[in-house]
């Protein structure tokens, strides 16, 4: 559908339709950006080596990952 067809169907001006579409796209960009960050954080978490359970060095997986 073209903007003109949408505007005619909803009895709005083309500029109003453009404004609502632009507003929705900006809303989606913000939400998708937040979602992408969340997915990235889960990916990084899953890709880190698991801890060996050493009580003396509970963060041993960080040393293994960064200093290996």
């Amino acid at each position: 559908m073209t903007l003109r067809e949408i505007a005619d169907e909803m009895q709005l001006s083309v500029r109003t339709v453009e404004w609502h579409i632009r507003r929705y796209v900006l809303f989606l960009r913000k939400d998708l950006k937040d979602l992408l960050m969340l997915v990235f954080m889960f990916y990084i978490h899953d890709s880190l080596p698991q801890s060996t359970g050493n009580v003396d060095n509970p963060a041993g997986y960080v040393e293994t990952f960064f200093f290996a």
Side-chain angles (χ1 to χ4, degrees):
M1 263 181 126
T2 66
L3 293 177
R4 169 56 56 199
E5 292 171 339
I6 295 170
D8 289 343
E9 181 72 27
M10 299 187 74
Q11 299 178 350
L12 299 169
S13 72
V14 174
R15 296 281 294 175
T16 301
V17 173
E18 289 174 344
W19 181 82
H20 281 284
I21 290 173
R22 185 176 303 119
R23 187 170 163 222
Y24 186 69
V25 166
L26 291 174
F27 172 78
L28 283 178
R29 280 185 187 168
K30 179 189 175 297
D31 280 1
L32 291 178
K33 182 175 137 184
D34 294 343
L35 179 64
L36 182 62
M37 181 58 76
L38 184 64
V39 169
F40 179 72
M41 289 171 54
F42 278 121
Y43 174 76
I44 291 297
H45 178 267
D46 288 344
S47 67
L48 288 174
Q50 297 299 315
S51 174
T52 59
N54 186 348
V55 177
D56 296 330
N57 188 5
Y61 66 91
V62 174
E63 288 180 7
T64 303
F65 183 73
F66 288 109
F67 302 110

